[in-house]
Amino acid sequence: MEDVISVSQLRKNYGDFTALGGISFSVKKGEVLALLGPNGAGKTTTVEILEGFRAKSSGEVSILGMDPQCGGRKFKNRIGIVLQECSIDPFLKVHEVLDQRATFYHDAIASAELLALTGLEDKQYEKVKKLSGGQQRRLDLALALVGNPEIIFLDEPTTGFDPSARHESWQIIRKLCSQGRTVLLTTHYMDEAQSLADNVVIIAKGEIVASGTPETLGGRDSAATIITFSVPLGLDIQVAGIECTSEDRDSSKLVTIETLDTVETLYKLSSWMLENKIQPGNLEVSQPTLEDIYLKITSEDNV
Amino acid sequence: MSSLRLLVSQIRYEQKTFWRNPAAGIFTIGFPIIFLLIFGSSHQSSKAVGSTGVSYDQYLIPAMLAYGLMNSCFSSLAVSMTIRRETGILKRVRGTPLPPYLFLGGVIGNSILISLYSTIILIAIGILEFNISWPVHLGAFFVIIFVGVVAFCAMGLAVTIFVPNADSAPAMVNGIYLPILFLSGVFFPFSKTSFLYRIGNFFPVSHFAQSLLGAFDQHSSGFGVAFHQIAIIAIWALIATWIAVRKFRWEPRK
C-alpha cells in the first residue's frame, strides 16, 4: 500500500522555542495512526501543519502527494478535519449546516447518509445550539465527512464523551477505515488508541519517543507478565520456588509475581494451589497496558 | 458550484443566521428606527438646523441612515466576525475548500442586504411620518450609499484585528462607533465652527451624512454633493480594506 501521509524531518520553531524538532512518520492508505503525547508535546502543531493551517519551519510533508501549504482548494477537497474545539453556527439547523457544507465540495456525500452514519436523523431539523455536546461533536464529524475525504484528521475526537458515546464514535471511525479512508487522530485515551490505531506515535517535547503497533509499542509484547492474587493473611507464600513479593492488606495478603516465562510460572502456581487447596482471590494475569507503557515512556526521567 | 452561485448560497445562509438571532436583528435594524421616531417627535420639525436652511426632520433622515449603515455594516460585522473568530468558526471555514473571498463575500453581502432593508424602512418612515421627500439627486444618493457601505464594511473587518477576544467585542465596538456617531453629528447637529465638529470631520461618517443630506436637498445644485466628501469616505474605504486584507486573523490569538 502507498503512503498517503509522509512526514520527514518536520521542524517547527516559534522564535527560539522548538515546537517540533524534526519528526518523521508515514501512514498508509486505510490505516489509522494515533498521535499520543502529553499536553504541549506538539501533537496539535503537527496535525495543524498537516492540515495546512500552519507553515512548517523545515522538513518535508506530503499528503496525497501534495504540500498542504500550497495545495489550496484541491487539497482541502480531499481531506476532512475535526478540530479540537467544536464550533458550528448555532442558529442554523443540522440539515442546513450539512447542505451548506456540501456546496463547498466537488463530490459531496448526501446529508441523509451522513445523518444515518452519525445517528443524527432525529435531530436534522433542530438548531445546532439545541444539540447536546456529544451530538454537536458527532455533527462535527459528519461535517468533516461531507466532502467524501480520503484522509480524515481528528484532533481529540472523543474528549468529554461518556463511555457509550465513545464506543459509538469508534464504530463510526472503523466504518470509515473499512471504506478505505485514512485516519490520523490525536488522543489522550489509551484505550482509544488501543482500539482504533494500526500504529501509534508518541511525541514528547517535539520529538518522537516511541512508535509501533499498540501491541508491540515500547517492547510491550516482550515485557514481563504480572500475576497478582490474594490469599488469607498469615499464609506462607513460598510458592514452589517462584520469586514473588507480598503485601498485607486489611483482610488478605496481596501477592505479585513478575515473570518472563508466563506459561511455566502459571503451571507451577496452579499446581501449588491445587496441592495446598488454596482458593486465590482476584487472580489477574496481565501484560503491561498501553497506558503503562505510555506513562513509562513519557515520564519526566525518560523525556 | 460556480463562484457566483456559491456566493449567493453563502449570502442566503448568512441571512438565515442573522434573522434567527433576534437580538442582532432588533439592535441592528430596530435601533435606528426607534431613534428616528424619538428624535423626530421630540423636536420642532420646522426649526432650521444651525446655519443651514434645512429642517431638523430633513436633517434627521440622513443622520439615521448613517446610524443604520454603521450598525449593519461596521458594528454587526465587527462583533459577529470577532465572535466567530474566537469560537473557531472562521478557522473551520479555512479547513474547507470554500475560498476565503467567497466566505467574506457572503458576510459582506449579508451586511449590504441588511443596510438595504434598514435604508428602505428609514426612508419610508421619513416620507410617511415626517413629510420628507424622496432623495432629489438619486444618482448621488446611490453613489454615496455604495461608497459608504464599502467603507463601513471594510472598517468593520479591519477593527476585528484590534479586538482581543469575544467578550470585549461588543463593548469595544460600541466604544469606537458611538463616539464617532456623536462627533459626526448623527444624534444632534453641531455648529460648523465648533471644535467637536472638526474632530468629527476626520471620520467618514459625518461626510457620509452630510453628502446624503445634499442628495435629499432640493436647493443643492448639479450632482447634489461635494465630491471631496465622497473622496474622504473612499479613502477610508481603501485604507480599511488594505489593513483588513493584510492583517485579518482567522484564528484566536494564542
Side-chain angles (χ1 to χ4, degrees):
Chain A
M1 277 287 190
E2 52 183 319
D3 286 342
V4 285
I5 299 178
S6 93
V7 175
S8 129
Q9 289 303 312
L10 174 63
R11 288 184 69 90
K12 176 70 183 176
N13 305 316
Y14 293 107
D16 288 339
F17 176 70
T18 305
L20 291 175
I23 63 167
S24 307
F25 61 86
S26 60
V27 190
K28 292 192 192 315
K29 188 175 188 299
E31 271 187 1
V32 179
L33 179 77
L35 222 50
L36 310 178
N39 284 325
K43 298 189 299 292
T44 297
T45 303
T46 306
V47 175
E48 292 197 337
I49 291 172
L50 267 53
E51 291 164 342
F53 283 120
R54 237 158 278 295
K56 62 189 183 226
S57 298
S58 66
E60 292 297 323
V61 175
S62 166
I63 311 283
L64 297 162
M66 290 179 278
D67 178 350
Q69 269 293 293
C70 327
R73 250 181 124 169
K74 207 173 132 206
F75 171 68
K76 303 262 170 62
N77 242 308
R78 295 173 66 185
I79 62 164
I81 297 173
V82 172
L83 294 168
Q84 225 174 72
E85 67 281 4
C86 186
S87 41
I88 309 169
D89 196 325
F91 295 104
L92 292 179
K93 292 173 184 167
V94 169
H95 76 95
E96 290 171 340
V97 185
L98 290 168
D99 292 342
Q100 179 184 26
R101 182 65 73 97
T103 62
F104 301 172
Y105 295 90
H106 292 316
D107 169 28
I109 298 181
S111 59
E113 191 180 322
L114 294 168
L115 289 166
L117 180 73
T118 49
L120 289 169
E121 295 110 316
D122 299 345
K123 300 287 172 190
Q124 60 171 316
Y125 298 110
E126 292 275 2
K127 284 182 190 155
V128 171
K129 62 176 179 173
K130 300 260 172 170
L131 299 183
S132 72
Q135 289 164 342
Q136 288 203 17
R137 208 71 183 128
R138 271 186 283 160
L139 176 57
D140 209 3
L141 181 60
L143 282 171
L145 300 175
V146 170
N148 200 5
E150 289 159 67
I151 299 182
I152 303 154
F153 296 96
L154 306 168
D155 204 353
E156 296 185 13
T158 64
T159 298
F161 277 27
D162 65 52
S164 66
R166 285 177 58 210
H167 282 270
E168 281 167 26
S169 296
W170 295 352
Q171 292 283 330
I172 298 172
I173 294 169
R174 281 196 203 99
K175 206 178 281 176
L176 297 174
C177 293
S178 69
Q179 296 167 343
R181 301 178 211 275
T182 308
V183 174
L184 192 150
L185 70 94
T186 73
T187 184
H188 283 303
Y189 300 115
M190 295 307 131
D191 53 343
E192 186 157 292
Q194 173 81 60
S195 157
L196 290 175
D198 298 298
N199 281 297
V200 172
V201 167
I202 300 183
I203 303 184
K205 295 188 178 162
E207 306 278 355
I208 293 181
V209 289
S211 63
T213 65
E215 288 70 33
T216 60
L217 192 81
R220 196 181 151 201
D221 51 338
S222 56
T225 303
I226 295 170
I227 304 166
T228 59
F229 56 92
S230 53
V231 290
L233 281 169
L235 188 80
D236 184 23
I237 43 101
Q238 283 308 311
V239 186
I242 302 167
E243 206 177 306
C244 64
T245 58
S246 66
E247 189 187 333
D248 285 349
R249 293 283 167 93
D250 289 344
S251 56
S252 62
K253 183 184 283 216
L254 182 72
V255 184
T256 307
I257 299 169
E258 259 186 66
T259 176
L260 288 168
D261 201 345
T262 316
V263 176
E264 192 184 319
T265 308
L266 278 174
Y267 176 72
K268 283 184 190 169
L269 184 64
S270 54
S271 325
W272 172 76
M273 285 173 174
L274 274 175
E275 278 167 27
N276 297 283
K277 298 199 165 46
I278 294 171
Q279 279 296 326
N282 302 320
L283 176 66
E284 269 181 28
V285 181
S286 58
Q287 296 251 265
T289 62
L290 190 55
E291 186 144 337
D292 297 331
I293 297 289
Y294 172 83
L295 289 172
K296 203 175 114 200
I297 291 172
T298 56
S299 68
E300 284 303 317
D301 305 339
N302 277 298
V303 176
Chain B
M1 206 178 253
S2 74
S3 294
L4 187 65
R5 282 184 57 195
L6 205 46
L7 178 66
V8 173
S9 150
Q10 279 302 107
I11 295 174
R12 257 187 46 224
Y13 284 110
E14 289 291 334
Q15 279 275 297
K16 274 192 178 146
T17 301
F18 177 81
W19 291 112
R20 283 192 194 154
N21 183 356
I26 290 167
F27 181 79
T28 308
I29 297 192
F31 268 39
I33 297 173
I34 295 168
F35 274 51
L36 172 63
L37 293 173
I38 293 173
F39 285 142
S41 337
S42 62
H43 277 73
Q44 286 171 310
S45 59
S46 55
K47 204 174 143 191
V49 172
S51 51
T52 64
V54 282
S55 71
Y56 183 76
D57 283 350
Q58 201 168 0
Y59 172 87
L60 196 55
I61 292 289
M64 286 301 117
L65 288 179
Y67 177 32
L69 253 64
M70 276 295 272
N71 255 349
S72 47
C73 296
F74 178 80
S75 80
S76 84
L77 258 186
V79 172
S80 78
M81 291 302 271
T82 307
I83 291 173
R84 287 177 180 198
R85 180 188 72 206
E86 297 299 315
T87 52
I89 291 181
L90 296 190
K91 183 178 182 182
R92 165 188 286 280
V93 170
R94 292 285 268 171
T96 73
L98 180 70
Y101 75 89
L102 282 179
F103 174 76
L104 290 175
V107 171
I108 292 169
N110 178 52
S111 280
I112 293 174
L113 274 184
I114 300 163
S115 313
L116 214 66
Y117 301 145
S118 180
T119 302
I120 291 169
I121 295 171
L122 288 169
I123 292 181
I125 293 175
I127 291 172
L128 297 173
E129 194 61 30
F130 300 112
N131 291 319
I132 299 301
S133 65
W134 188 250
V136 193
H137 304 277
L138 256 187
F141 174 80
F142 286 116
V143 169
I144 299 159
I145 294 281
F146 174 76
V147 179
V149 163
V150 173
F152 300 159
C153 283
M155 285 160 64
L157 291 178
V159 87
T160 61
I161 296 159
F162 308 103
V163 186
N165 54 57
D167 291 333
S168 61
M172 262 187 84
V173 171
N174 280 325
I176 293 168
Y177 99 116
L178 283 176
I180 294 180
L181 288 177
F182 270 106
L183 288 172
S184 304
V186 163
F187 297 123
F188 43 82
F190 298 127
S191 108
K192 285 202 172 177
T193 52
S194 76
F195 177 61
L196 291 178
Y197 177 83
R198 270 178 283 159
I199 298 179
N201 254 354
F202 175 71
F203 298 104
V205 183
S206 78
H207 298 286
F208 177 79
Q210 287 170 31
S211 314
L212 268 188
L213 184 58
F216 276 95
D217 189 357
Q218 292 153 0
H219 305 296
S220 60
S221 52
F223 191 56
V225 291
F227 285 103
H228 79 273
Q229 292 195 306
I230 296 182
I232 291 171
I233 307 170
I235 289 168
W236 271 88
L238 285 175
I239 293 173
T241 307
W242 182 71
I243 294 174
V245 166
R246 283 178 56 98
K247 295 276 183 188
F248 188 77
R249 283 189 292 123
W250 294 84
E251 292 176 39
R253 203 172 276 147
K254 291 260 170 179

